[in-house]
Amino acid sequence: MTGPMAAVPIPAGDTRPEHSSLPLFSLLDVEKSFAIDGGRRRLRALDGVRLTVHAGESIALVGESGSGKSTLVRVMLGLEQVSNGRVLFGANDLSSLDRAQRRLFAREVACIYQDARGSLNPRMTVTDLLAEPVRLHGLRERAELPGRVDELLAMVGLPADVRAKVPSELSGGQVRRVAVARALASEPRVLVADESVAGLDVSVQAQLLNLLRDLQRSQGLAMVFVTHDLGVATYLCERVAVMYLGRIVELGRTREVLAAPLHPYTRGLMRAFPRFDAPLVVSLPGEIPSAANLPAGCRFRSRCDRARPDCALEDPTQRLVGRDRHLACLHPLDDAPGAGVDSRRLIESVDRAVVIEPDRRDLPERP
Ligand SMILES: Nc1ncnc2c1ncn2[C@@H]1O[C@H](COP(=O)(O)OP(=O)(O)OP(=O)(O)O)[C@@H](O)[C@H]1O
Ligand SMILES: [Mg+2]
């Protein structure tokens, strides 16, 4: 429960740079467009995105389907090249890492996927799945591997008797835990998760969320967490970035954003917020424009009840509007806190929903 990474022993000779005030990630006006229709048109999946991720902090990316959340994650993981702008990892541009920096990146940035089972080699035992990254990154001597595997299992609350099993012999919840343990095996500083709790049984989801929150606290892990669910965002993430058609339209501390949204789209999302376990369906009037054919002016104006003539003329870009608060709107909500939504009730309902403490009786005590 101390500072970042305190619980992860850093082996002697570690080449990790000292913790500095530099963010882990800095996204500077990132644009990503894809050629579509056989190259005849371009679709702008990310547009002027600015975001920093500091050590130990957690950020939720929320927004409807197609808003660019996965593209943002893929750009941060170096799986997609940006079309414009820069993605820095520490001080280094992701597009020009040398081999040693790439190795360090692979070690420090871990990812868990929605399809946990599909991300694990079905022929490998749990021991092999967890030992492999430890060996690959040279983090332990061979003789220490079994002990490290046991530590990782304990961290994610799995009993030691799963060691010899292959993924098909594990339950869905256990497979998720193995995937998380494997992600932790390289002793990362950032965990990136794209919809990794979506579609899960509520109790399994709650267990996994609790596990991730425990890990944040005990390991000082930074997290970038894609979710459709404002409840999940509130529970797990200090900050939230609300995305709409490739742009971060609002960014700030989660509870502040939910208590007093400034962007009409954020308020729309909050009004749509159904239950902790239900998918996000936003019922705002008007058409969602195509990312391949963005309108002039504000991309949200066709659905916005506050749109004025100037919204058709000027495209509001993401700008800093207060301490830690970003906004892309010409006519933000300026009503009293709450902006028409009883956000306290929302937050309370989220707390109630997640605080259905998961059944931990099946989990061994942590060392
Ligand atoms: N490789 C690609 N080629 C062409 N278009 C793409 C590609 N990848 C993503 N897109 C488009 O970019 C936009 C953003 O997609 P993205 O997958 O990032 O959205 P998302 O927010 O993750 O959505 P979801 O919630 O459905 O996962 C969409 O319009 C999508 O169709
Ligand atoms: Mg996605």
Side-chain angles (χ1 to χ4, degrees):
M1 302 302 284
T2 45
M5 305 306 291
V8 180
I10 295 179
D14 190 85
T15 52
R16 221 176 267 228
E18 286 293 300
H19 273 292
S20 67
S21 53
L22 266 188
L24 289 171
F25 279 102
S26 309
L27 280 75
L28 311 174
D29 292 318
V30 166
E31 186 185 313
K32 173 69 195 177
S33 46
F34 293 105
I36 54 168
D37 292 348
R40 270 169 300 151
R41 293 199 301 156
R42 294 193 75 74
L43 177 151
R44 207 173 296 168
L46 295 176
D47 193 0
V49 168
R50 300 175 190 172
L51 184 68
T52 54
V53 183
H54 285 268
E57 80 168 343
S58 51
I59 298 184
L61 304 179
V62 303
E64 289 162 286
S65 187
S67 55
K69 305 178 298 293
S70 296
T71 305
L72 184 51
V73 159
R74 292 177 59 76
V75 155
M76 291 176 78
L77 292 171
L79 301 173
E80 300 275 7
Q81 293 273 2
V82 300
S83 314
N84 264 308
R86 300 177 72 190
V87 180
L88 305 182
F89 184 65
N92 302 312
D93 198 305
L94 266 198
S95 63
S96 55
L97 298 184
D98 62 27
R99 255 182 86 182
Q101 288 167 335
R102 218 169 310 194
R103 267 183 77 83
L104 190 67
F105 182 82
R107 176 181 156 196
E108 299 209 314
V109 183
C111 189
I112 49 177
Y113 298 93
Q114 178 164 15
D115 179 15
R117 207 177 278 281
S119 72
L120 301 175
N121 184 333
R123 283 183 295 278
M124 284 169 78
T125 62
V126 170
T127 292
D128 294 340
L129 286 166
L130 300 187
E132 186 182 63
V134 181
R135 247 187 325 102
L136 224 61
H137 292 286
L139 298 172
R140 292 291 188 286
E141 299 295 334
R142 184 169 280 278
E144 298 168 321
L145 284 177
R148 181 59 181 155
V149 167
D150 288 346
E151 267 171 33
L152 289 164
L153 289 174
M155 249 184 230
V156 298
L158 279 171
D161 64 15
V162 301
R163 280 180 299 210
K165 294 189 172 169
V166 294
S168 63
E169 297 169 316
L170 302 173
S171 73
Q174 288 176 322
V175 167
R176 302 271 172 163
R177 286 170 192 266
V178 170
V180 173
R182 186 172 152 89
L184 296 173
S186 66
E187 299 168 22
R189 293 168 72 190
V190 195
L191 190 63
V192 178
D194 192 348
E195 303 278 3
S196 52
V197 298
L200 285 180
D201 190 276
V202 186
S203 73
V204 177
Q205 187 183 37
Q207 286 199 15
L208 198 65
L209 289 175
N210 275 309
L211 167 64
L212 291 172
R213 194 152 114 156
D214 286 354
L215 290 170
Q216 267 175 4
R217 291 172 174 178
S218 62
Q219 318 284 300
L221 262 185
M223 286 192 36
V224 177
F225 205 88
V226 173
T227 177
H228 280 104
D229 189 325
L230 290 179
V232 170
T234 314
Y235 182 67
L236 216 52
C237 300
E238 292 145 12
R239 290 205 293 152
V240 62
V242 178
M243 298 190 68
Y244 186 74
L245 285 174
R247 184 159 283 170
I248 292 180
V249 293
E250 185 157 9
L251 169 68
R253 310 203 73 76
T254 309
R255 282 175 191 249
E256 287 171 19
V257 169
L258 296 188
L262 295 172
H263 200 289
Y265 180 64
T266 310
R267 180 170 66 178
L269 278 188
M270 289 172 58
R271 285 191 170 150
F273 178 74
R275 294 197 326 276
F276 167 62
D277 57 334
L280 182 63
V281 181
V282 181
S283 61
L284 288 162
E287 292 284 306
I288 308 184
S290 156
N293 188 17
L294 290 171
C298 176
R299 64 200 62 203
F300 183 61
R301 72 187 157 90
S302 60
R303 299 170 83 192
C304 184
D305 59 3
R306 298 170 62 82
R308 298 181 204 167
D310 57 341
C311 300
L313 302 172
E314 190 180 335
D315 178 13
T317 52
Q318 184 188 333
R319 66 185 202 284
L320 192 65
V321 293
R323 222 178 95 75
D324 300 332
R325 192 78 171 259
H326 289 215
L327 184 69
C329 177
L330 297 177
H331 300 290
L333 298 165
D334 44 14
D335 334 14
V341 187
D342 186 349
S343 55
R344 188 172 317 161
R345 239 188 42 215
L346 167 76
I347 290 171
E348 278 169 6
S349 81
V350 169
D351 282 341
R352 255 203 315 282
V354 192
V355 177
I356 317 172
E357 271 298 314
D359 188 351
R360 298 190 74 104
R361 277 168 303 187
D362 62 329
L363 306 184
E365 285 299 308
R366 284 176 187 225

